[in-house]
Amino acid sequence: MTASGGAPAGVMQGYALLREGRVEEAVRHAADLLREQSDHVDALVLAGEAAVAEGAPDEALGYMQRAIDADPGNEALRLKQAGLLLHLRRRREALDLALSVAAKARGRGGGQALWQAASIAANCNRPLDAVPLYQQALGSMGPQPGLLYDLAVAQFFTGDFEAAEANLDRMLAIAPQAGHALYLRSTLRRQSPGRNHVDELKQRIAAGLGRPDQDAAAWYALAKELEDLGEHASAFDALDTGARLRRQTLDHDIAGECEAQARIRAAYGREVMAAPARGHAGAAPIFIVGMPRTGTTLVERMLVHGGSVRSAGEPLDLGNLIGAHAREALQARPQLTPAEASLHIDFEALGRDYARGVSEAAGAERFIDKMPANYMYCGLIRRALPEARIIHLQRDPLDSCHAVYKTLFFSAYHFSYDLDELARYYIAYRQTMAHWHEVMPGTILDVRYEDLVADPDGQARRILEWCGLPWDPETRYGQAPARAAFTTASAAQVRAPVHARSVGGAQRHRKRLEPLVRRLAEAGIAVD
């Protein structure tokens, strides 16, 4: 065995190749190194990194196991292995391994290992497990901006908003230009005249945060707080500025995104959906789909409150798996579009692989997948998971679009920062949902946000019965269940009592939203 301390000079050369994007050369280079010294830890880790870059995570896992066998006391390697397991959607194994490493690191003051283990737990949809690990890492390492932010996010998801705000304040004292922390802090609670950050935010914005994305986040934070204080015109001014800055940082093709949906609709017509398909019959997940900010988390909360099902959060699994299977099909049929190629995938294998990975995220066989954008794949869900239930959230078009526009999504929904692009996406969404209702009638339950907030208990009964779950007339579905984690941007709002404050709220900005209204009207979508 050769320990990692004496890395061959060629290892660094291999990493240089990876940094330059020369992946195939890096793979060959790592193989050459291992032919010279088959049990060298650094060479094995390089081979694993190269395999990941090449899109072969299973092969990378093999290299990592060989590295661990060569250096069994190296906990950093075990955390790398946990990360690979997570990449492979083997979440239960990843979590168990991370918690095992954390247990050993706890007694040694291993703050970095605890931080990494906490991050793996968080990415396994286990923020309740992640919080104490982040706290232990903080006790070992002291206040690190990134660590304080990660802890605050986990506390946000678990409902400990006061602690999250305190940690964000600590972070901002160290890293005053962290716009993302300013925005998260603003969303933790409804700001009041006696307790808000408006003056502080204005000062930070005037001084500049150094990067357009951070400046944008500060403007979004200011917009949120001004809206809470009832200063709606000023809030929209701040929002417009933040959206403009954020859009400048993004490379986004709205036409391509809408065209991709059109191709899915064209591929999955009535005849295709009427044809028999052998999907995976061993799972009955509940999909909650629609536009973001339409009440999807409130429906999730109602289902969890019933006690018979658990949430997997908003996993990316379905879209990623469909893409991977479609790419395999394209290799044999390169003349097809990805949507057409997806017709040739093994739907039973897709459903089985999806259900295994996401059930581990939920920690239950019957689970909720609350990724709103899965609305694009309703037809594929039907073919891959015939026992699945699909719940579609609807909301007044203007309220829906305004709610999206005023939300800062750090790594998703890039269409949301320009009113014209937002309108075009909303039109595509409406066309896609109308298509699924036409080609697979009776298989999707539509739920209106306005009905949810007007009659939460009645709508909960309707939703639970649709899902084949028991309804308890003694349960108050309008209240959040205790000790439940909600891994969503709506984690703060969903814990508050159900209210109708936002119904019709976009009307006060009707003139400012006119470009969007006009685009929707051209597509035949009425806005009252």
Side-chain angles (χ1 to χ4, degrees), residues 66-94:
R66 286 172 57 187
I68 290 169
D69 292 341
D71 190 3
N74 191 329
E75 299 299 331
L77 294 178
R78 286 160 58 81
L79 285 169
K80 281 183 174 288
Q81 185 180 43
L84 284 169
L85 289 166
L86 181 61
H87 184 73
L88 288 163
R89 304 171 53 256
R90 291 163 59 175
R91 294 179 171 99
R92 187 177 296 116
E93 295 172 75

Side-chain angles (χ1 to χ4, degrees), residues 160-419:
D160 194 352
F161 304 129
E162 290 293 333
E165 184 163 356
N167 282 316
L168 289 170
D169 284 336
R170 292 177 69 189
M171 175 189 173
L172 287 163
I174 305 168
Q177 295 180 313
H180 56 297
L182 295 172
Y183 179 68
L184 177 59
R185 186 181 63 174
S186 76
T187 67
L188 293 172
R189 57 179 168 84
R190 189 173 176 82
Q191 308 297 314
S192 67
R195 189 181 174 206
N196 63 76
H197 312 95
V198 168
D199 290 340
E200 175 198 338
L201 287 166
K202 288 179 177 179
Q203 291 170 7
R204 289 179 187 270
I205 288 169
L209 278 76
R211 290 193 346 229
D213 58 331
Q214 301 291 8
D215 287 327
W219 281 105
Y220 269 85
L222 179 60
K224 160 64 169 63
E225 301 212 6
L226 289 170
E227 181 179 58
D228 285 350
L229 298 178
E231 299 181 29
H232 298 292
S234 296
F236 204 97
D237 288 341
L239 177 60
D240 259 354
T241 302
R244 198 161 47 246
L245 285 170
R246 178 63 174 149
R247 183 63 184 89
Q248 291 170 6
T249 69
L250 301 171
D251 182 13
H252 177 59
D253 177 13
I254 185 62
E257 191 163 359
C258 294
E259 178 60 25
Q261 290 197 47
R263 287 178 176 173
I264 291 173
R265 297 194 298 269
Y268 288 83
R270 186 182 295 275
E271 186 174 333
V272 167
M273 293 310 303
R278 201 185 101 189
H280 176 58
I286 299 168
F287 290 90
I288 304 174
V289 304
M291 287 287 288
R293 314 298 291 184
T294 53
T296 56
T297 307
L298 181 53
V299 170
E300 174 193 37
R301 167 178 131 178
M302 290 173 170
L303 288 165
V304 169
H305 211 2
S308 300
V309 64
R310 295 181 63 176
S311 177
E314 298 183 358
L316 300 173
D317 295 47
L318 183 65
N320 288 343
L321 283 170
I322 289 170
H325 281 265
R327 285 190 291 274
E328 289 182 10
L330 273 172
Q331 292 178 1
R333 303 169 179 84
Q335 75 280 7
L336 301 181
T337 67
E340 292 167 338
S342 73
L343 293 168
H344 301 278
I345 67 180
D346 182 340
F347 282 101
E348 197 279 333
L350 170 64
R352 184 178 62 250
D353 194 14
Y354 165 84
R356 178 201 58 76
V358 182
S359 67
E360 291 184 6
E365 290 302 313
R366 188 82 196 272
F367 59 85
I368 306 160
D369 182 329
K370 197 194 74 68
M371 171 52 70
N374 283 338
Y375 77 83
M376 290 184 283
Y377 309 122
C378 287
L380 290 85
I381 291 170
R382 183 71 175 164
R383 296 184 71 75
L385 295 155
E387 296 177 31
R389 291 290 181 267
I390 305 174
I391 302 168
H392 167 225
L393 269 293
Q394 297 175 305
R395 189 176 183 180
D396 171 83
L398 198 61
D399 280 347
S400 178
C401 290
H402 179 238
V404 171
Y405 186 57
K406 68 181 183 178
T407 302
L408 178 60
F409 301 100
F410 285 108
S411 58
Y413 306 121
H414 290 173
F415 60 84
S416 66
Y417 305 107
D418 177 274
L419 289 176

Side-chain angles (χ1 to χ4, degrees), residues 101-124:
V101 172
K104 295 179 180 178
R106 195 175 296 123
R108 304 176 189 165
Q112 191 65 44
L114 286 163
W115 186 356
Q116 289 179 261
S119 296
I120 289 168
N123 283 306
C124 288

